[in-house]
Amino acid sequence: QVQLVESGGGLVQPGGSLRLSCAASGFTLDYYAIGWFRQAPGKEREGVSCISSAYGLTYYADSVKGRFTISRDNAKKMVYLQMNSLKPEDTAVYYCAAGVPPPGPPTGVRSSDYDFWGQGTQVTVSS
């Protein structure tokens, strides 16, 4: 069955880095865009970044632009989120999701565009 499994979360000091991984199985990753979302306690879920199925076009929320990098390896059925210069406000549960957004370059990361979701991995940025 379709499955997305996140890993790589943990506790890191401000200014540190983490690389999140999203392992896909049960479907052909090549045909799907992948989005990363996060949800902090008491806050709404926020779209962080996404990468398109074709051409690997990317989009980043303003809050992470210049610090996070999304990438994908379709052969390995993996998607990554490299997070640098982490801040306490990056603390959240991070989720990857697969879907088929409207065609064209991504202009946002909208939950409604994604059909399959992972269980999440906790990222805590604290000294």
Side-chain angles (χ1 to χ4, degrees):
Q1 75 274 21
V2 172
Q3 195 171 17
L4 294 167
V5 179
E6 303 93 338
S7 62
L11 173 64
V12 63
Q13 293 187 342
S17 297
L18 283 175
R19 188 177 82 154
L20 304 184
S21 298
C22 174
S25 61
F27 65 104
T28 305
L29 180 63
D30 309 46
Y31 302 144
Y32 286 81
I34 298 294
W36 282 98
F37 296 80
R38 67 185 181 186
Q39 188 163 21
K43 295 189 176 181
E44 291 188 359
R45 183 165 56 193
E46 174 191 13
V48 173
S49 180
C50 64
I51 186 165
S52 67
S53 56
Y55 309 114
L57 301 177
T58 60
Y59 175 90
Y60 299 94
D62 288 343
S63 56
V64 306
K65 198 174 295 182
R67 300 188 297 122
F68 290 11
T69 303
I70 191 171
S71 61
R72 62 191 296 157
D73 185 336
N74 289 339
K76 294 183 178 179
K77 304 194 77 171
M78 296 291 294
V79 180
Y80 306 99
L81 186 68
Q82 178 67 43
M83 307 187 297
N84 299 328
S85 303
L86 283 162
K87 305 175 181 180
E89 51 263 43
D90 294 317
T91 295
V93 177
Y94 284 71
Y95 302 88
C96 65
V100 186
T107 57
V109 194
R110 291 169 286 271
S111 298
S112 58
D113 290 336
Y114 296 88
D115 302 306
F116 309 120
W117 293 79
Q119 293 300 306
T121 185
Q122 175 71 47
V123 171
T124 302
V125 185
S126 174
S127 54

